[in-house]
Amino acid sequence: MEEDDVYSKDGTVDYLGNPANRKKTGTWKACPFILGNECCERLAYYGMSTNLVLYFKERLHQHSATASKNVSNWGGTCYITPLIGAFVADSYLGRYWTIASFSIIYVIGMTLLTLSASVSGIKPTCHGKENCHATDLQSIVCFVALYLIALGTGGIKPCVSSYGADQFDDADEKEKEHKSSFFNWFYFSINIGALIASSLLVWIQDNVGWGWGFGIPAVAMAIAVVSFFSGTKLYRNQKPGGSALTRIVQVVVASIRKCHVEAPSDKSLLYEIADTESAIKGSRKLDHTNELRFFDKAAVLEQSDNLKDSINPWRLCTVTQVEEFKSILRLLPVWATGIIFATVYGQMSTLFVLQGATMNTHVGNSSFKIPPASLSIFDTVSVIFWVPVYDRIIVPLTRKFTGHKNGLTQLQRMGVGLFISIFSMVAAAILEVIRLKTVRRHNYYDLEEIPMTIFWQVPQYFLIGCAEVFMFIGQLEFFYEQAPDAMRSLCSALSLLTVALGQYLSSLLVTIVTNISTKNGKVGWIPDNLNYGHIDYFFWLLAVLSVLNLIVYLWVARLYTYKKTVGTLR
């Protein structure tokens, strides 16, 4: 060990350290352990959650509406808890220890869930497959396990992608180029786990039993933890920068206190520490920008600010701290445009399933029927197909035309994803128009499945998968790169929050549309029997909203100012 290497308490090399020794850590040497962790964790998550609504109905004996509501509440929680995990990681524990700690909570939750489905006394009592009921205690054990899992995933989701990107040094151009490729393969590993979960594990739950159906995901999560810890000596770690929320509030308070002060046009008159390193641990200095100049007041020196004494951060902030807050504010408009995309994405688990349930689910002339929800496997297959195509073909090809090292900038990539998502809604709407014409022509109104194969839905699933590769992966990379160094987990959590908000927006739109379209005794757009309805109108509505969202996005992207870092990490 050389003297100028910086080691954390767990023995891993920090982000800084001797350059010669740093070559032994990070980069693709460390990434297989992180990608393995993510693949197994997603396999565990989707393997447990994909069929959860059926477990509530069949084993806990809940009504359809209750089961659906409970799954939605739990799923929403899984996308809100990342805010907790991100805050803990950026402020106090760092990404390594946050992932490690919350992974253990996750395993405990998965183990308890498995026990609640397989051990006499705490598992629901069943007399035959259809006649099951659960006591209050048995239901409580199940939900305690599920919300432990929600807490566990909240510490992992916002940190793993950022932690993998941390293994590549921004100061090294070659490593920086590999970082963009990492995000592609990170999302690829997610979908490999999802593919196994939505096919093999769903079949095991339906045909073997819920004990095995939850037990295998629990084992997968244990393997995820082992995979993560196995790479400990190879990881590069960044130090947590202290409470990000406190620093944000300090800038706001200091700016308001000095609202009477005029911010100087000369940035050299604003306060910044003289050291080359930032005052914020784990963060580089940020160069001053001219937008949102009101908050520059927080860095204006007044006579009452005595630099010889300790600085009161509630009255005087550094330029870097002010720019850190500005970076978050600049991200928000881009972040907001992701909500409509998440609403479109969410249709795979709602209206796409309902649409598929009205079509012929048999494979050929056999008696085997495809569960309508299982067609989401084509979304997963699409992602698995497009990730290597994008990484190995599209990037080199577009690089020749744009001159950009990644082919497309992150904002351009996200824009392409938003554009493609419009066509997934158009495809779904056109299919529904054709389906309803068939119903009217042959009077199939009361037929449970019309003679039109469910595989006509494949294009809309495939298009969403393609859009994901551009939008979601571009979003992951964008929020990592443009986030302040000490707030990267928090910004990753914000990108995940769009999924939850997209689901809530979808629910709100359905409620509004239902209330309006059912006036005067009409059946409405989305009745119980879709043969009498018009969900094609809803798909057209989402297509129009997606077009408007794309226009807003193009305007926001054009005005966006990229952050500029100076100095070094501390």
Side-chain angles (χ1 to χ4, degrees), residues 18-27 29 172 175 234 236:
N18 185 280
N21 276 344
R22 199 164 71 228
K23 290 182 180 179
K24 300 176 183 177
T25 62
T27 67
K29 294 187 292 291
D172 186 313
E175 287 194 22
L234 295 174
R236 296 174 182 173

Side-chain angles (χ1 to χ4, degrees), residues 68 84 155 167 240 314 384 425 485 531 566:
S68 178
I84 299 172
Q167 308 310 310
W314 296 95
I384 292 172
M425 288 297 97
D485 293 326
N531 294 333
V566 292

